[in-house]
Amino acid sequence: MLAKKLSPTWFCEEIYELNTEILKENGIKTIFFDLDNTLIPFYEALPYEKTKRFINYLKDKGFNIYVISNNHEERVAKFCKDLNCKYSYMSYKPLPFKLNKFIKKENLNKNETIIVGDQIMTDIICSKFLKIKSILVTPACNDDLKETKLNRFIDNKIRNKQKKKGYLNKFERSEYYE
């Protein structure tokens, strides 16, 4: 039962599989990307060229792009400078309070917003609290920070049950190919 309640709206292997047409059909105008192990591995400081091109592609398609992270401002700001996008640092996911304030400050509509992240325990639970759609992706690397290992262990147990029970709705592959 918990696995079903914690299921994302969609699942895809990596961010580059996001299908802009499906997002638009579902009224999505704003995409919140988690940073570490979603956009890049946690040990990388700057976006890959492929990531920059993809974010620019999404902007060209009319999407508002934001980075949301539980990491400190220096890391998030440095990363986002290259992408020329706004961000929320120390977001305290899965708690919704800071992101809720951020959504109001940016004058965003929750019905038009989606969170893309690699963790059920932070990103997906946060989306459930905020009552917004979500996309779960496979982590960008197989390693984690020490403080993330417990979350990842629990995440893997839930994810395996979701796969087994068919609760992960696979996102139709994007028209974007690198």
Side-chain angles (χ1 to χ4, degrees):
M1 188 63 121
L2 182 63
K4 188 171 188 171
K5 285 185 178 182
L6 296 181
S7 294
T9 310
W10 293 289
F11 168 79
C12 58
E13 292 298 328
E14 58 180 1
I15 61 167
Y16 308 108
E17 293 181 6
L18 297 185
N19 188 311
T20 59
E21 294 307 314
I22 291 174
L23 292 174
K24 286 182 179 182
E25 287 170 11
N26 283 273
I28 302 300
K29 295 179 181 176
T30 301
I31 304 172
F32 283 173
F33 281 103
D34 170 57
L35 174 55
D36 294 317
N37 280 348
T38 298
L39 289 173
I40 57 166
F42 71 91
Y43 50 79
E44 296 288 347
L46 299 172
Y48 299 140
E49 286 302 316
K50 181 178 181 179
T51 306
K52 287 186 208 176
R53 286 191 304 273
F54 185 64
I55 294 300
N56 286 329
Y57 166 79
L58 292 173
K59 288 178 181 179
D60 289 346
K61 289 284 191 173
F63 293 96
N64 302 309
I65 305 298
Y66 295 86
V67 173
I68 58 171
S69 177
N70 285 347
N71 217 315
H72 55 87
E73 184 174 19
E74 183 181 346
R75 169 158 172 64
V76 182
K78 183 177 181 181
F79 181 86
C80 290
K81 184 177 181 187
D82 266 7
L83 295 179
N84 192 28
C85 66
K86 292 182 180 179
Y87 58 87
S88 172
Y89 66 96
M90 295 302 294
S91 296
Y92 303 111
K93 298 176 289 173
L95 300 175
F97 311 113
K98 187 161 184 200
L99 284 177
N100 213 19
K101 281 184 183 177
F102 184 76
I103 289 167
K104 286 178 183 170
K105 181 182 140 234
E106 292 295 315
N107 200 25
L108 302 171
N109 182 335
K110 287 183 185 180
N111 294 325
E112 298 172 344
T113 303
I114 194 162
I115 291 179
V116 179
D118 68 300
Q119 287 192 57
I120 293 169
M121 302 306 293
T122 55
D123 306 308
I124 303 307
I125 291 176
C126 186
S127 76
K128 299 287 185 186
F129 282 146
L130 290 168
K131 295 182 172 66
I132 62 176
K133 292 178 176 65
S134 61
I135 298 174
L136 180 65
V137 297
T138 301
C141 74
N142 291 325
D143 203 9
D144 279 303
L145 293 168
K146 188 172 36 172
E147 53 269 20
T148 309
K149 289 192 184 285
L150 177 61
N151 274 357
R152 188 68 69 197
F153 175 79
I154 297 167
D155 183 281
N156 285 334
K157 295 273 186 204
I158 296 169
R159 209 181 276 240
N160 288 337
K161 187 165 261 186
Q162 288 172 336
K163 286 178 186 174
K164 186 178 176 184
K165 298 277 189 179
Y167 297 150
L168 292 178
N169 297 319
K170 193 89 163 119
F171 209 68
E172 183 182 316
R173 187 158 184 87
S174 171
E175 70 282 1
Y176 179 88
Y177 295 101
E178 189 61 27

